[in-house]
Amino acid sequence: MSLKGKFPFVKPNFKRLPQLEDESDSSNENVREIIVEHKSGFNTIEVLIIIIISISFGVVVGCSVSFFRQEYRGEKVSSSLQELITVYNNIVDDYYKKIDERDLVDAAIDGMLSSLKDPYSMYMEGENAQIFNETVDGSYLGIGITITMDVDGNILIASVVEDSPADKAKIKSGDYLVKIGNQSLEGLQFDEVSSIIKESKNKTLDITLRRNGEEFIKSVKPDTIDFISVKSKVYSLNNGNAGYISISTFAANTYQQFKEQLTAIEKKNINSLIIDVRSNPGGHLSQTRDILELFMSKNSVLYQVKVKNDINKIKDNTKKDRDYPVVILTNSSSASASEILAAAFRDSYSDTTIIGETTYGKGTVQTSYTLSDGTSVKYTTEKWLTPKGKWIDGKGITPDILVQLTEEYLSNPVPENDLQLQRALDFLEKEKNTSKN
């Protein structure tokens, strides 16, 4: 599974260029994860044992490290686990060629996860692991620029993140990137430019830029930059103001961004809200739950999780709620946590309408681990069900109002051409008397 793809769908109001960034894209088209936990600090062999024990016995993962360490004090472990350890030790000790123990363990972990025949369970190394971790963590190491290439093959800065190192150095959109240090960027691919920046995390970079035909140098030190996964706007309707919030992914900082944006637009006296999760591949389950708790009444069922034959209903435990009409915008790439959000609103909120297209249909939950060497492992641990107990895996969520986008929008993605957004605004204005709310 490639983690480097991008969605062909372009979010309304926020037009994106064909580009590659000096960071990992926060909306990778094949990620489609619900990450119930994202831990770090285990070494490779510990995680190998964790996976075996979890698959064999279903024990709590957090207790598995001590189990592994007991084995290495000579205490008893399961026969299947002992066989694996024996084969590993025999190969390391007796194989006639020199063995790279790391490669051996990598192959064992990858083989176990592949044997599950689950497209969402996998072992990730190198750049794939880095992209995945940055995506779910909601931050990346970089200088805060998005780069593209002009027709002549020159590297052009398409945008600059506000308050980033590049912004503070007064680098501007439209500048050409010529050199990093003494290295010319002529002929390099995007990933090569990105690697140069990321590998210099503790160093100040002297970047040569060209603006209006003149070259100059800016000194910039890479820093941790938060992904912006939430954006908002207010639309003025004949019967009041409609808020609009788009969520591009559920990263570790998405709830905080959502809460801030919601507070800001509610100060503008909105009486309805559109939540846009089109092409949102999912992310942290905790972030979705926290967002839902801003709207649902106490003790409302947000979703259910099923582990083997045990089902647990996850309920709202807060006193915060809202009652204005909410429209959820979805498409065929709205997956995982996006579907949990849409299902929760449909089943447990007082006034919800889903507009757009049937969602992707992913009804499983993954747990991920970041190892101390930078590799990552993730595997499926649960099913999730809607508040009413339905499993949407392979089916998706059908909208209340089916609206498809046209080629005109895909070639010119502006709000006026976005039939799904326009239908939502028309619905709130003409079919919902929000002026009474």
Side-chain angles (χ1 to χ4, degrees):
M1 177 178 95
S2 169
L3 293 175
K4 296 177 67 177
K6 296 180 183 289
F7 279 107
F9 182 85
V10 184
K11 284 282 186 182
N13 305 325
F14 313 114
K15 185 174 181 180
R16 297 173 64 185
L17 298 170
Q19 59 201 23
L20 188 77
E21 308 175 31
D22 77 350
E23 70 271 14
S24 303
D25 191 351
S26 63
S27 54
N28 301 289
E29 74 172 327
N30 290 320
V31 174
R32 294 195 181 100
E33 309 298 349
I34 302 175
I35 303 301
V36 66
E37 291 184 77
H38 187 221
K39 298 180 179 180
S40 62
F42 296 106
N43 65 47
T44 308
I45 295 182
E46 285 175 339
V47 171
L48 175 64
I49 306 305
I50 286 170
I51 294 173
I52 296 170
I53 294 173
S54 298
I55 293 172
S56 301
F57 302 102
V59 299
V60 178
V61 170
C63 299
S64 301
V65 175
S66 61
F67 195 118
F68 161 75
R69 288 172 177 160
Q70 288 174 356
E71 155 61 18
Y72 278 80
R73 293 196 301 268
E75 298 183 22
K76 185 178 179 181
V77 297
S78 72
S79 59
S80 57
L81 178 55
Q82 186 60 59
E83 286 179 359
L84 178 64
I85 295 171
T86 299
V87 171
Y88 171 83
N89 287 332
N90 287 346
I91 292 174
V92 171
D93 293 340
D94 302 335
Y95 189 68
Y96 81 105
K97 291 182 179 180
K98 185 177 180 180
I99 290 293
D100 186 320
E101 294 183 38
R102 168 64 189 277
D103 288 345
L104 203 60
V105 172
D106 287 347
I109 296 175
D110 188 47
M112 282 190 295
L113 291 167
S114 297
S115 74
L116 299 176
K117 295 180 172 56
D118 177 3
Y120 307 110
S121 298
M122 66 185 60
Y123 181 50
M124 295 169 286
E125 303 176 81
E127 187 177 2
N128 279 350
Q130 183 180 24
I131 291 172
F132 175 80
N133 293 334
E134 289 177 342
T135 299
V136 297
D137 288 342
S139 63
Y140 65 93
L141 181 70
I143 62 173
I145 60 174
T146 302
I147 57 177
T148 187
M149 191 172 288
D150 69 8
V151 293
D152 298 319
N154 299 309
I155 295 176
L156 177 68
I157 296 176
S159 62
V160 178
V161 177
E162 186 177 355
D163 292 329
S164 66
D167 186 38
K168 293 174 182 177
K170 300 190 183 304
I171 295 173
K172 297 181 179 180
S173 173
D175 289 345
Y176 282 95
L177 199 53
V178 180
K179 291 181 182 179
I180 298 178
N182 294 322
Q183 182 170 353
S184 172
L185 304 182
E186 185 177 358
L188 294 186
Q189 300 299 313
F190 286 132
D191 57 347
E192 294 175 303
V193 177
S194 176
S195 295
I196 293 171
I197 294 174
K198 288 181 178 179
E199 289 169 1
S200 305
K201 59 182 178 180
N202 296 318
K203 302 176 183 177
T204 298
L205 300 174
D206 290 327
I207 298 178
T208 302
L209 302 158
R210 185 170 65 250
R211 182 186 301 166
N212 299 325
E214 296 184 4
E215 292 189 0
F216 58 96
I217 296 175
K218 292 287 187 179
S219 295
V220 186
K221 186 176 182 179
D223 199 358
T224 299
I225 298 172
D226 288 336
F227 282 125
I228 303 300
S229 57
V230 180
K231 295 183 179 180
S232 67
K233 188 174 182 178
V234 174
Y235 290 92
S236 179
L237 306 179
N238 289 333
N239 57 348
N241 293 330
Y244 168 90
I245 297 182
S246 72
I247 311 174
S248 62
T249 189
F250 290 94
N253 54 7
T254 296
Y255 164 73
Q256 188 59 42
Q257 293 181 24
F258 185 95
K259 185 178 179 181
E260 291 172 358
Q261 295 290 331
L262 181 63
T263 300
I265 62 175
E266 284 185 334
K267 289 180 179 179
K268 298 180 181 179
N269 299 316
I270 64 169
N271 53 22
S272 60
L273 178 66
I274 299 168
I275 302 178
D276 187 350
V277 290
R278 291 177 294 179
S279 295
N280 182 320
H284 281 279
L285 186 54
S286 62
Q287 300 296 297
T288 313
R289 183 189 64 237
D290 290 346
I291 289 173
L292 289 171
E293 287 184 336
L294 294 172
F295 294 88
M296 310 300 170
S297 58
K298 189 172 182 179
N299 292 322
S300 296
V301 178
L302 304 179
Y303 55 90
Q304 303 181 47
V305 291
K306 183 176 182 181
V307 182
K308 299 187 185 301
N309 294 320
D310 295 329
I311 296 178
N312 183 28
K313 293 183 178 181
I314 309 301
K315 297 182 179 181
D316 188 327
N317 292 315
T318 70
K319 295 181 179 180
K320 302 183 290 290
D321 63 10
R322 286 161 171 80
D323 61 3
Y324 47 63
V326 172
V327 170
I328 309 293
L329 293 182
T330 63
N331 68 358
S332 60
S333 293
S334 301
S336 299
S338 299
E339 295 174 291
I340 286 183
L341 183 136
F345 268 98
R346 170 175 278 178
D347 288 357
S348 298
Y349 189 68
S350 59
D351 192 348
T352 299
T353 305
I354 300 176
I355 295 177
E357 300 165 350
T358 300
T359 61
Y360 179 78
K362 179 178 179 292
T364 56
V365 178
Q366 283 68 49
T367 295
S368 74
Y369 292 90
T370 302
L371 283 62
S372 57
D373 58 10
T375 58
S376 291
V377 63
K378 66 183 180 69
Y379 56 100
T380 301
T381 51
E382 301 169 338
K383 292 181 178 180
W384 73 267
L385 310 174
T386 69
K388 293 183 178 180
K390 294 182 179 180
W391 194 40
I392 59 89
D393 197 71
K395 302 173 184 177
I397 297 171
T398 303
D400 301 302
I401 301 174
L402 179 62
V403 180
Q404 295 182 328
L405 295 174
T406 63
E407 289 296 328
E408 183 179 9
Y409 174 77
L410 297 177
S411 61
N412 184 25
V414 295
E416 293 74 19
N417 293 337
D418 186 348
L419 297 186
Q420 294 167 344
L421 173 61
Q422 295 303 323
R423 182 67 180 91
L425 294 171
D426 186 66
F427 174 81
L428 290 173
E429 186 172 57
K430 297 179 180 178
E431 300 179 46
K432 285 286 179 183
N433 188 8
T434 56
S435 60
K436 293 182 180 179
N437 292 319

